[in-house]
């Protein structure tokens, strides 16, 4: 297979018409679950049942189940309600961890759409599945096509067509699970999920900042800071990194090593340069953490945004929630 996650672009319009049909459904007569997608012609529709027509935040609800005529391959759509903003890619990873699936490839098309290929077993039979997630407001739809491992390649493009063609009938009405709040560091506006507590940070002349903390139960689970620094001060972008890490060290956070160093997308923003660095770190009690640190610049100021979060290995769900919030803040700066 040359493309691990084919989308069916190899099919001509004539082949699409001959090999597939549009399947429209309003599961449980609930309009917010209405959907359509292209499915292989001749596949049978099996009943998808649940106790109530509404989505919950605890259980995946089956919406559509289609089966190959011989019953060995399946295509299903399920949905769940999200409690808070989470990227589709991170949700897929968490779902596979919980289900015991083995990811082979994951592709993030956007924070609200991700696609993957995974292996798993049912009663000692090896299966391969195409697993995609699309977030629409506070609904997450999962499109899952799977077949016995030895047959998967023959169906890979058919599953890709289903994933690529999937559309919820009710389009998104807002950018996140809940309406984001608008905050500012000095004169720099940005958006943030609503459950983060904002506290203005003390800062000397020429510096403005705001701290954001997330508490779940009685535990502090995430900390972000957004800070602007005037270019009139004697500093540069690299010095902002060291200054930030030194301040975190005084708060008891010890950096272990740099694990990522990338650029930051600047299109559509007021910034002229920027980069993102990720560090492994530990608290004074030796608890593993990660630091996500972005530094941006425009003609008047430097902007520093950092996230301190429990690490992804031992606390993936917490890490994923914090990472999405960091992405929302960083992506909305100055907009």
């Amino acid at each position: 297979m040359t493309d691990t996650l084919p989308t069916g672009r190899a099919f001509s319009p004539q082949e699409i018409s001959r090999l597939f049909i549009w399947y429209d459904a309003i599961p449980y007569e609930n309009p917010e679950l209405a959907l359509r997608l292209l499915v292989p012609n001749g596949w049978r529709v099996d009943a998808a049942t649940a106790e109530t027509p509404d989505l919950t935040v605890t259980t995946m609800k089956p919406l559509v189940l289609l089966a190959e005529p011989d019953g060995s391959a399946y295509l299903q759509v399920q949905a769940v309600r999200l409690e808070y903003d989470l990227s589709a890619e991170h949700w897929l990873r968490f779902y596979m961890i919980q289900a015991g699936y083995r990811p082979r490839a994951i592709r993030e098309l956007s924070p609200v759409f991700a696609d993957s290929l995974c292996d798993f077993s049912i009663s000692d039979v090896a299966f391969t599945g195409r697993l995609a997630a699309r977030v629409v407001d506070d609904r997450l739809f999962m499109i899952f096509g799977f077949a016995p491992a030895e047959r998967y390649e023959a169906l890979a493009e058919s599953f890709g067509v289903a994933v690529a063609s999937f559309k919820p009938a009710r389009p998104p009405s807002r950018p996140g699970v809940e309406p984001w709040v608008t905050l500012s560091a000095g004169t720099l506006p940005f958006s943030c999920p609503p459950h983060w507590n904002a506290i203005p940070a003390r800062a000397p002349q020429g510096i403005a900042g705001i701290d954001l903390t997330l508490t779940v139960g009685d535990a502090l689970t995430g900390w972000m800071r957004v800070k602007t620094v005037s270019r009139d001060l004697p500093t540069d972008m690299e010095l902002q990194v060291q200054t930030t890490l030194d301040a975190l060290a005084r708060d008891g956070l010890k950096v272990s090593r740099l694990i990522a160093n990338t650029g930051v997308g600047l299109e559509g923003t007021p910034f002229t340069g920027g980069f993102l660095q990720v560090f492994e770190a530990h608290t004074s009690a030796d608890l593993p953490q990660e630091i996500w640190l972005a530094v941006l610049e425009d003609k008047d100021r430097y902007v520093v945004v950092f996230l301190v979060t429990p690490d992804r290995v031992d606390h993936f769900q917490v890490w994923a929630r914090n990472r999405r919030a960091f992405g929302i803040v960083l992506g909305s700066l100055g907009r």
Side-chain angles (χ1 to χ4, degrees):
M1 190 189 306
T2 56
D3 185 355
T4 304
L5 295 168
T7 57
R9 293 192 185 93
F11 292 110
S12 67
Q14 294 77 18
E15 287 175 312
I16 290 287
S17 298
R18 178 170 55 86
L19 299 173
F20 299 89
I21 60 169
W22 280 107
Y23 179 76
D24 295 271
I26 308 177
Y28 313 108
E29 299 182 357
N30 184 345
E32 75 167 4
L33 302 180
L35 57 92
R36 73 180 328 221
L37 73 165
L38 284 167
V39 301
N41 201 1
W43 282 39
R44 72 170 191 268
V45 179
D46 289 351
T49 60
E51 292 182 0
T52 70
D54 301 316
L55 295 183
T56 71
V57 298
T58 57
T59 306
M60 292 291 296
K61 182 179 292 297
L63 304 183
V64 170
L65 178 61
L66 298 109
E68 199 179 24
D70 66 4
S72 64
Y74 296 88
L75 181 61
Q76 61 181 205
V77 182
Q78 302 179 73
V80 69
R81 195 171 299 283
L82 298 177
E83 291 182 274
Y84 46 79
D85 284 283
L86 195 69
S87 77
E89 179 202 354
H90 291 154
W91 186 90
L92 276 180
R93 291 184 184 275
F94 183 69
Y95 181 86
M96 285 191 273
I97 289 170
Q98 296 291 96
Y101 295 172
R102 301 176 298 280
R104 195 190 299 179
I106 296 182
R107 176 170 58 194
E108 181 181 37
L109 284 305
S110 76
V112 298
F113 182 42
D115 200 2
S116 69
L117 187 70
C118 60
D119 297 314
F120 59 97
S121 299
I122 301 176
S123 300
D124 296 326
V125 177
F127 283 83
T128 297
R130 178 78 173 265
L131 185 62
R134 186 179 292 275
V135 178
V136 184
D137 296 336
D138 64 346
R139 299 162 288 158
L140 184 141
F141 294 89
M142 184 177 78
I143 308 96
F144 192 17
F146 59 96
E150 69 274 7
R151 294 205 58 238
Y152 179 81
E153 188 166 349
L155 293 165
E157 287 193 325
S158 295
F159 291 146
V161 168
V163 166
S165 65
F166 173 83
K167 295 181 180 67
R170 199 186 84 188
S173 61
R174 55 181 184 264
V177 170
E178 299 176 280
W180 300 338
V181 297
T182 300
L183 301 169
S184 64
T187 60
L188 180 68
F190 61 91
S191 298
C192 182
H195 297 299
W196 289 72
N197 185 40
I199 305 170
R202 288 186 176 182
Q205 186 70 26
I207 299 175
I210 188 167
D211 281 342
L212 304 163
T213 58
L214 181 66
T215 302
V216 178
D218 295 326
L220 178 67
T221 61
W223 172 29
M224 286 190 285
R225 177 174 291 169
V226 182
K227 181 176 71 171
T228 64
V229 181
S230 171
R231 296 191 71 143
D232 292 335
L233 297 176
T235 186
D236 57 28
M237 296 179 75
E238 288 72 21
L239 186 57
Q240 287 303 315
V241 173
Q242 192 58 53
T243 300
T244 301
L245 295 180
D246 289 345
L248 291 173
R250 290 193 293 272
D251 287 327
L253 203 61
K254 181 180 179 181
V255 171
S256 306
R257 65 186 182 99
L258 177 70
I259 57 176
N261 188 4
T262 66
V264 175
L266 300 173
E267 186 176 352
T269 76
F271 303 109
T272 56
F275 57 81
L276 169 66
Q277 296 182 339
V278 186
F279 300 88
E280 283 184 352
H282 290 80
T283 66
S284 55
D286 206 33
L287 298 175
Q289 305 280 295
E290 287 184 19
I291 302 169
W292 288 67
L293 175 57
V295 182
L296 307 170
E297 66 175 342
D298 62 22
K299 62 183 181 63
D300 298 317
R301 62 197 165 189
Y302 299 102
V303 178
V304 179
V305 185
F306 73 69
L307 164 71
V308 178
T309 176
D311 76 316
R312 71 191 80 186
V313 175
D314 297 318
H315 305 279
F316 185 82
Q317 192 170 17
V318 174
W319 176 88
R321 181 178 185 176
N322 291 342
R323 272 285 294 109
R324 179 65 180 127
F326 177 79
I328 290 167
V329 170
L330 189 62
S332 63
L333 285 169
R335 302 191 186 206

